[in-house]
Amino acid sequence: MLEIVNVTKYYGALAAIRGVSFTARRGEVLGCLGPNGSGKSTTVNIVAGLLDPTSGEVRVDGEDIRRDLFAHRRRIGYVPETPEVYSYLTGPEYLTLVGRLRRIAPDVLEEKIERFLRLFGIYGDRHGRLSGYSKGMRQKILIAAGLLHDPEIVVLDEPSSGLDVGTTLVLKQLIRALAADGKIVLYSSHVLEFVEQVCSSVVILREGRVAASDRIERLEELMNQPSLEQVWRQLALHDDTDEVASGLIEAMRL
Ligand code: ADP
Ligand code: MG
């Protein structure tokens, strides 16, 4: 079980998240949903053990991850939001680097990499440098890099950005399969549709605080709304979208 207990993170004077608490269980995909700047990346980076909280703690099976951060990082598979990868390497070279850091045996690693590349449909691009890959191709490499060592806990920060329709479908199925395999999956996104389709529970962040947290069908029930989109509108959207859109058009025309 993964527990985030009353976590607050300040960047200087700015509170990015405040008093965030939630729980994710094995076999479950927990969605972390919120508009840009609501604190999703901060939250998942803390869960991944890459960022220290200002206060509060993250526990796995009851133990604070800071008691052994190295062990925690070994069981985490983290797929970052920004496809910032070593652009002078080829896809397989990058994955080999990651796999070696993860201490995967070379022959196993080679096989894993080939399978990932083939399954993602980028095997034909294996000799090209990452700098020449499309955003979606780089994203596939990052997803592969996060899963190579068969982690217990998978943390994905907006992994569907830049993926084509076919790959998005594969990703959805993959996330469900990871959970069915007994892993804990934390999936951060601002794309409601994706979360609604792959997550069993959701934590909705608004301005760094938990606005709502429950099983998806319970949230709809509680809010008496027919879909998560209505719940989301009620909870997270405080700006009037029409107003914002027309304001943007106006600003463009200045
Ligand atoms: P999200 O992923 O939901 O877009 P983030 O966790 O990236 O949200 O950001 C939450 C808030 O913290 C935002 O106001 C953002 O500007 C701020 N923030 C994020 N990272 C940093 C950082 N490294 N330094 C200062 N402020 C940051
Ligand atoms: Mg983010």
Side-chain angles (χ1 to χ4, degrees):
M1 189 164 77
L2 170 73
E3 293 164 284
I4 285 69
V5 188
N6 204 15
V7 170
T8 294
K9 175 69 186 179
Y10 276 89
Y11 294 110
L14 176 99
I17 54 171
R18 269 179 286 194
V20 169
S21 298
F22 57 83
T23 301
R25 290 172 184 79
R26 282 173 213 284
E28 180 181 76
V29 184
L30 177 71
C32 180
L33 191 64
N36 290 329
S38 58
K40 302 181 296 298
S41 293
T42 301
T43 304
V44 300
N45 279 306
I46 289 172
V47 169
L50 299 169
L51 191 64
D52 273 335
T54 307
S55 62
E57 62 185 50
V58 177
R59 295 182 197 143
V60 176
D61 298 332
E63 189 176 294
D64 187 338
I65 61 168
R66 278 174 296 188
R67 284 190 57 187
D68 191 347
L69 262 184
F70 288 106
H72 179 64
R73 289 185 193 138
R74 274 199 296 275
R75 69 185 163 209
I76 287 274
Y78 169 69
V79 181
E81 181 176 18
T82 42
E84 275 170 23
V85 286
Y86 298 90
S87 55
Y88 53 87
L89 297 179
T90 67
E93 282 169 351
Y94 176 71
L95 292 174
T96 302
L97 181 72
V98 171
R100 287 200 184 141
L101 289 172
R102 293 290 194 182
R103 297 178 195 280
I104 301 172
D107 49 333
V108 179
L109 180 59
E110 202 177 316
E111 170 79 21
K112 280 190 188 224
I113 291 172
E114 182 175 332
R115 288 214 203 168
F116 268 99
L117 296 178
R118 285 192 191 280
L119 288 166
F120 276 140
I122 51 175
Y123 187 72
D125 306 285
R126 66 190 177 284
H127 301 301
R129 288 169 195 266
L130 293 169
S131 55
Y133 281 24
S134 68
K135 192 175 175 222
M137 285 159 70
R138 282 201 291 269
Q139 197 67 30
K140 287 175 181 175
I141 295 290
L142 288 176
I143 294 169
L147 298 178
L148 273 181
H149 64 296
D150 192 21
E152 261 177 77
I153 304 172
V154 183
V155 175
L156 305 111
D157 195 359
E158 312 229 17
S160 64
S161 64
L163 293 182
D164 56 56
V165 182
T167 312
T168 303
L169 288 174
V170 172
L171 182 65
K172 278 181 189 164
Q173 204 47 45
L174 174 65
I175 288 172
R176 291 190 195 106
L178 289 169
D181 195 35
K183 300 185 192 304
I184 295 173
V185 186
L186 178 61
Y187 182 91
S188 134
S189 180
H190 68 276
V191 184
L192 192 74
E193 189 220 356
F194 202 108
V195 169
E196 195 166 22
Q197 289 175 4
V198 303
C199 300
S200 28
S201 302
V202 64
V203 172
I204 298 179
L205 291 180
R206 179 175 55 186
E207 292 171 357
R209 292 181 188 276
V210 176
S213 160
D214 212 326
R215 297 194 57 81
I216 286 193
E217 64 277 9
R218 283 255 308 147
L219 272 178
E220 287 163 6
E221 223 172 85
L222 278 177
M223 308 293 297
N224 200 17
Q225 300 289 346
S227 75
L228 190 59
E229 176 152 5
Q230 315 305 106
V231 175
W232 167 246
R233 281 190 178 279
Q234 204 162 40
L235 287 170
L237 290 181
H238 38 95
D239 294 322
D240 182 87
T241 39
D242 290 341
E243 220 171 86
V244 174
S246 53
L248 285 169
I249 300 290
E250 265 174 45
M252 261 167 51
R253 289 186 179 144
L254 285 178

